[in-house]
Amino acid sequence: MTETTHQDTGRTGLGGASGLFAIRLATGLVQGLALYLLYLAADSHAWPATQPALFGALALATGYGPVVVLAAAGRIKPLALALWTGAAAVVLALLGAHDVARQVLAPHDEPPFLSLPVLAFGAAALFIAHHLIVPAIRERRWIVDYSEYFDVAWKAGVQLALSLGFTGAFWVLLHLGAALFKMIGLSFLQDILGEAWFSIPVTVLIFATAVQLTDVRDGLIRGVRTVALMLLSWLLLVITVLVGGFLAALPFTGLDGLWETRSATALVLSAAAALIVLINTAYQDGRPDNVPPVVLKYGVRVASVLIAPLVILALWGLGLRIGQHGLTPDRIIAAACALVGAVYGAGYLLAAAKPGGWMKPLERTNVVAAVLSVLVILALFSPLADPARMSVKDQIARLERGAVSARDFDYDFLRFESGKVGAAALETLTRSSDAETARLARAAKARTYRSGDTPKARRDRAAAVRLQAVAGQTIPASFQTQIESQADVLFGCSVASPCTVRTLDLNGDGREDLLVAMARTVLAFEQRGDDGQWRKVGQYQAACSRNAEALDGGLSTGVTTAPAALPDLIVGGQKLQATPEIRCDDPDGR
């Protein structure tokens, strides 16, 4: 049975297209009113904004829950729709309440108090779960045909994109109209657009209307989806060549550069996710009449093989970081994403290698990975596998067993980034039997903002600095040993863009100074005092924009000094330095 048949059946039970539109319109109105009431409570600091956990629960459930009605109305029977909407709203409310309850809220924190991860992953979990549950309800089976999952999910994705675009275009037009009225001295429309009582309900109502408009044009949506899938499927060849070239080059370049980026896990997982999405745009629902051209078929097989090594690289890099620095919430979330990626990698590798039934195992892999994704998200944003709790436990264990010294321990992580569980652990450390641990913990507890100047942070910044001497010269060993103290000014000297270093006597005192060239700036250092410490004494920048490129490359070929255009003045005992006027149309730059 096709989706159109299901929709027709559902709409008949709801009074046809007019009844469906009334339901969606009413849903938009109710959601808009509820969100506006929450806004009023937050603005006036009234209940439920005075109860942060409750407010977070209501905000997440009200923001996302009604979308279930908009998406499922007309597709499943009213009783099933009510039960599924209620279940989704309860789960969303619990996630929102837990997210806020685990935080240590500062006096200046404003509702809805929800963190960005729970908003992003909550939306992802709801989208995935909805398109697993609705087909199952319609077919009255736990697992339905893969073509049904594909049809429902990709159509909903197109509808969502079009509805968001329609809502955005609506607001662009409103602001354009307000600007026109403003030009003739009428500001009433601009004033209305700035009012929450208008903007919140109207935005939700327009979105609900857009969902209805895209839903009644089923053939149009399918046509847009077909074109989008066709265009995206050909991009698969591009990313396959790029990823294949990257993996082929690794044996020759080594992995050190990859790990030094400090974002290797995120990058390779993003590449794997791109491959997964584009593979599915080519495979589509797996029906014989949807088999892509031969070149795309081979592209799908090659791309499916590439996912596994990317996930292995991600797990490897993540394992190194965790081994060196322990768990953090970001690393735990990355590990969860890598776990889902491993399922995709194994399943797609099997699909590519298995003969007969072109890529058929891909279908089961997608369903299993979708279910796993929902379960993992629910675990991460609930007490079951709270990343903050797990991270704090691991970091404290590292401190206790001596894997990290009291001096290098990140107390600010407990104070500012791990919520109530971190605050409780920090309070315990203030009573530690180790005097240094207790002292540093008390200092962190007293801070009102995170300090970025911890010894570990300084070493991390220094480790990221990359310098290269010009031909025939070497970087003084004394400067190399002091890079940690200079890391803040050498932040532009990275693996991707090493800075060029040249020794030169700048002031004629017979001692070598250092010039460190970035792409657009040259820093000057000299040794001062009896301690032989290198200190930054100035910087040079190109006077005209046309000369502001590749200073690091220019320093490698040579450098000379030029006399100052204007001398310093002594006025009333004060030394005044001139700032020359620059005429960039002068060929000499003077």
Side-chain angles (χ1 to χ4, degrees):
M1 184 176 291
T2 65
E3 184 181 355
T4 303
T5 304
H6 285 294
Q7 287 180 350
D8 291 341
T9 302
R11 288 173 183 168
T12 300
L14 295 171
S18 59
L20 186 59
F21 178 66
I23 289 176
R24 285 178 169 145
L25 189 65
T27 301
L29 288 171
V30 171
Q31 183 185 22
L33 177 61
L35 290 174
Y36 175 62
L37 292 176
L38 288 176
Y39 169 83
L40 284 182
D43 189 54
S44 59
H45 301 286
W47 186 91
T50 54
Q51 302 291 325
L54 175 61
F55 193 93
L58 293 175
L60 196 61
T62 304
Y64 289 162
V67 178
V68 173
V69 179
L70 298 179
R75 290 173 170 80
I76 57 179
K77 293 182 178 181
L79 178 59
L81 175 62
L83 292 175
W84 164 226
T85 304
V90 169
V91 172
L92 288 168
L94 291 174
L95 293 179
H98 171 71
D99 182 64
V100 177
R102 69 178 183 80
Q103 299 178 41
V104 177
L105 298 175
H108 61 271
D109 287 336
E110 296 290 338
F113 310 112
L114 296 167
S115 64
L116 180 60
V118 79
L119 291 171
F121 283 96
L126 181 62
F127 183 89
I128 297 170
H130 180 80
H131 296 98
L132 289 172
I133 290 174
V134 168
I137 293 175
R138 289 188 347 192
E139 296 287 345
R140 297 185 180 181
R141 290 187 292 154
W142 287 104
I143 303 295
V144 302
D145 294 338
Y146 180 75
S147 59
E148 186 76 7
Y149 288 128
F150 175 86
D151 196 43
V152 172
W154 279 91
K155 180 189 173 184
V158 172
Q159 280 187 279
L160 177 62
L162 292 176
S163 298
L164 291 173
F166 181 85
T167 305
F170 173 83
W171 275 102
V172 169
L173 293 178
L174 280 185
H175 280 286
L176 177 60
L180 291 175
F181 279 104
K182 181 73 174 179
M183 284 195 304
I184 59 175
L186 300 176
S187 61
F188 71 95
L189 184 55
Q190 190 174 63
D191 295 338
I192 291 175
L193 296 183
E195 295 291 337
W197 61 263
F198 177 84
S199 59
I200 294 176
V202 166
T203 299
V204 177
L205 188 61
I206 291 300
F207 179 79
T209 303
V211 172
Q212 173 66 18
L213 293 175
T214 56
D215 194 43
V216 297
R217 300 292 184 180
D218 188 70
L220 176 62
I221 294 299
R222 290 179 186 275
V224 172
R225 183 185 69 181
T226 299
V227 173
L229 291 174
M230 184 271 293
L231 293 174
L232 290 173
S233 65
W234 286 100
L235 291 178
L236 174 65
L237 300 179
V238 178
I239 189 65
T240 300
V241 171
L242 294 174
V243 172
F246 164 75
L247 293 174
L250 282 181
F252 303 98
T253 62
L255 297 174
D256 291 343
L258 184 64
W259 305 145
E260 288 171 353
T261 63
R262 300 176 181 271
S263 57
T265 298
L267 286 173
V268 295
L269 285 179
S270 297
L275 284 173
I276 292 167
V277 172
L278 294 177
I279 286 170
N280 281 278
T281 63
Y283 183 79
Q284 298 191 27
D285 58 8
R287 292 177 179 175
D289 55 341
N290 279 336
V291 175
V294 174
V295 64
L296 277 181
K297 288 183 66 174
Y298 283 108
V300 167
R301 287 191 183 274
V302 174
S304 298
V305 173
L306 298 178
I307 295 173
L310 286 177
V311 174
I312 291 173
L313 281 175
L315 290 170
W316 189 356
L318 192 60
L320 290 176
R321 297 294 293 172
I322 291 174
Q324 293 169 346
H325 307 294
L327 292 176
T328 63
D330 288 344
R331 290 174 194 144
I332 291 175
I333 292 175
C337 294
L339 172 64
V340 176
V343 173
Y344 276 112
Y348 281 40
L349 183 61
L350 174 64
K354 187 175 181 180
W358 181 67
M359 296 294 295
K360 202 67 176 174
L362 175 149
E363 299 178 0
R364 181 169 296 181
T365 300
N366 283 347
V367 176
V368 170
V371 174
L372 178 63
S373 298
V374 175
L375 295 177
V376 165
I377 291 173
L378 293 179
L380 286 176
F381 297 98
S382 71
L384 291 176
D386 185 356
R389 175 174 52 82
M390 296 171 65
S391 299
V392 168
K393 182 178 179 180
D394 179 72
Q395 294 293 342
I396 294 296
R398 283 169 51 82
L399 177 63
E400 291 176 345
R401 68 173 181 265
V404 59
S405 67
R407 177 176 175 270
D408 294 337
F409 185 75
D410 191 356
Y411 300 92
D412 283 352
F413 168 71
L414 302 181
R415 173 69 176 86
F416 298 104
E417 298 180 18
S418 51
K420 292 179 179 177
V421 64
L426 184 63
E427 178 64 31
T428 301
L429 290 181
T430 61
R431 301 187 297 272
S432 172
S433 57
D434 181 78
E436 186 175 17
T437 298
R439 177 181 63 82
L440 294 172
R442 287 194 295 269
K445 183 181 177 182
R447 282 195 287 271
T448 57
Y449 58 90
R450 182 178 176 89
S451 170
D453 198 34
T454 63
K456 176 181 177 297
R458 289 196 298 271
R459 286 198 300 275
D460 287 345
R461 292 197 297 270
V465 172
R466 291 294 180 274
L467 303 174
Q468 58 185 13
V470 301
Q473 295 188 355
T474 59
I475 301 174
S478 56
F479 186 75
Q480 291 276 28
T481 60
Q482 295 171 30
I483 284 181
E484 183 174 316
S485 63
Q486 306 291 347
D488 288 338
V489 296
L490 297 175
F491 64 91
C493 307
S494 63
V495 175
S497 181
C499 290
T500 301
V501 180
R502 176 181 283 275
T503 58
L504 184 71
D505 184 2
L506 293 174
N507 50 20
D509 62 357
R511 301 173 61 180
E512 293 292 331
D513 303 307
L514 285 183
L515 294 176
V516 180
M518 304 178 188
R520 295 174 178 269
T521 304
V522 177
L523 306 180
F525 294 85
E526 70 174 14
Q527 284 184 302
R528 288 184 174 180
D530 297 333
D531 58 359
Q533 292 291 309
W534 290 92
R535 295 177 176 83
K536 178 186 171 185
V537 293
Q539 68 183 43
Y540 299 89
Q541 290 180 304
C544 301
S545 60
R546 66 172 180 269
N547 299 322
E549 301 295 336
L551 294 180
D552 48 351
L555 193 72
S556 299
T557 60
V559 62
T560 58
T561 60
L566 294 171
D568 296 339
L569 298 180
I570 306 297
V571 179
Q574 299 184 68
K575 183 177 181 180
L576 306 182
Q577 291 183 324
T579 303
E581 291 293 328
I582 304 298
R583 293 181 56 190
C584 290
D585 55 346
D586 188 333
D588 296 327
R590 295 193 298 269

